[in-house]
């Protein structure tokens, strides 16, 4: 897989958008609300959701060396919606402010793929997504940790995380697993990689699907 991505260094001042945090939070909230309304649901701004919007906004407008954000928490409380909202916020800002492109290269796109999709078509998804500067992986932990490919044992999510870590590629992810569960499922090495790569945002609201 070595040919699937060029090594690079983190851009000067790391991953961040050079806009005021208040402005980023406003756009992120609007994008999140739009995602909710497009699904025919009612937007409910809980104190926990508001706290997470501000935390994400601070992380993404402050120079740092991290490579992304990891959203963790129980099912149904907005993690997938937030991934889409973050992506739409990047796209909106990239269209209205050239500095976003200079700092992040987001115009190259930020695809969203589930962990199960990566495992289902490992070679195809690796060729398509592994080298992308930006990638969002939804529902890490719902897939089998390993699978037997004609006698060869594959560990797709572990491989994706390891390779993107080595190549300093940006990654945003969501999971219903706690950080402790991540370590138990994928091993302490992967847990440490994620801790070093990404800011952790805990989603603790009850499910909005009820």
């Amino acid at each position: 897989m070595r040919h699937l991505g060029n090594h690079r260094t983190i851009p000067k001042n790391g991953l961040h958008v050079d806009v005021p945090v208040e402005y980023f939070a406003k756009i992120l909230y609007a994008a999140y609300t739009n995602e909710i309304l497009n699904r025919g649901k009612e937007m409910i701004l809980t104190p926990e959701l508001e706290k997470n919007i501000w935390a994400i906004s601070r992380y993404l407008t402050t120079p740092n060396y991290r490579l992304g954000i990891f959203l963790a928490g129980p099912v149904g409380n907005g993690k997938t919606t937030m991934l889409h909202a973050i992506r739409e916020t990047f796209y909106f800002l990239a269209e209205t402010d050239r500095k976003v492109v200079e700092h992040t290269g987001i115009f190259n796109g930020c695809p969203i793929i589930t962990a199960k999709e990566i495992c289902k078509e490992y070679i195809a998804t690796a060729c398509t997504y592994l080298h992308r500067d930006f990638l969002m992986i939804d529902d890490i932990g719902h897939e089998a940790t390993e699978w037997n490919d004609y006698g060869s044992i594959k560990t797709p999510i572990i491989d994706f995380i390891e390779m993107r870590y080595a190549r300093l590629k940006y990654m945003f992810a969501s999971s219903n697993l706690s950080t402790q569960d991540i370590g138990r499922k994928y091993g302490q090495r992967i847990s440490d990689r994620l801790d070093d790569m990404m800011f952790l945002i805990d989603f603790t609201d009850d499910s909005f699907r009820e």
Side-chain angles (χ1 to χ4, degrees), residues 10 15 64-70 135 137 157-158 160-173 189-200:
I10 300 174
L15 171 61
N64 65 84
Y65 70 91
R66 298 296 179 98
L67 297 171
I69 289 176
F70 192 90
L135 179 67
I137 303 179
I157 296 302
I158 291 175
F160 254 68
I161 293 171
E162 289 276 18
M163 292 177 186
R164 293 191 68 82
Y165 180 85
R167 289 165 172 76
L168 301 177
K169 300 291 188 179
Y170 297 123
M171 186 172 76
F172 295 75
R189 178 183 174 86
I190 293 301
S191 180
D192 290 344
R193 288 280 189 264
L194 291 174
D195 184 59
D196 188 51
M197 287 173 68
M198 309 166 81
F199 289 111
L200 173 66

Side-chain angles (χ1 to χ4, degrees), residues 19-131:
V19 299
V21 61
E22 295 83 3
Y23 181 61
F24 192 99
K26 178 180 178 181
I27 302 304
L28 181 59
Y29 172 74
Y32 187 94
T33 300
N34 192 55
E35 288 290 329
I36 294 294
L37 297 179
N38 283 342
R39 299 179 190 192
K41 304 291 185 178
E42 179 186 0
M43 174 61 186
I44 302 174
L45 182 61
T46 66
E48 182 69 18
L49 175 58
E50 183 175 17
K51 182 186 74 174
N52 286 344
I53 288 174
W54 279 102
I56 292 168
S57 299
R58 282 193 295 271
Y59 287 148
L60 294 178
T61 56
T62 303
N64 65 84
Y65 70 91
R66 298 296 179 98
L67 297 171
I69 289 176
F70 192 90
L71 311 178
V75 299
N77 59 9
K79 297 182 299 297
T80 298
T81 301
M82 186 60 76
L83 281 185
H84 284 270
I86 292 171
R87 181 174 69 166
E88 292 308 309
T89 299
F90 274 134
Y91 285 168
F92 175 83
L93 293 173
E95 291 177 357
T96 58
D97 192 334
R98 187 66 192 176
K99 289 183 291 185
V100 174
V101 181
E102 295 170 354
H103 280 289
T104 67
I106 193 65
F107 266 153
N108 292 328
C110 185
I112 298 178
I113 187 169
T114 68
K116 283 186 176 180
E117 288 171 331
I118 290 175
C119 294
K120 184 178 180 181
E121 299 289 344
Y122 179 44
I123 299 300
T125 53
C127 291
T128 302
Y129 298 112
L130 187 60
H131 66 285

Side-chain angles (χ1 to χ4, degrees), residues 169-188:
K169 300 291 188 179
Y170 297 123
M171 186 172 76
F172 295 75
S174 75
S175 178
N176 296 331
L177 300 180
S178 67
T179 52
Q180 292 81 9
D181 290 335
I182 289 287
R184 284 190 284 267
K185 183 174 177 66
Y186 301 108
Q188 192 58 45

Side-chain angles (χ1 to χ4, degrees), residues 119-162:
C119 294
K120 184 178 180 181
E121 299 289 344
Y122 179 44
I123 299 300
T125 53
C127 291
T128 302
Y129 298 112
L130 187 60
H131 66 285
R132 299 294 292 266
D133 283 345
F134 279 77
L135 179 67
M136 293 185 168
I137 303 179
D138 194 22
D139 280 338
I140 285 180
H142 277 203
E143 81 297 340
T145 306
E146 60 183 35
W147 53 276
N148 192 318
D149 182 24
Y150 299 101
S152 177
I153 301 300
K154 306 292 186 182
T155 54
I157 296 302
I158 291 175
D159 294 346
F160 254 68
I161 293 171
E162 289 276 18

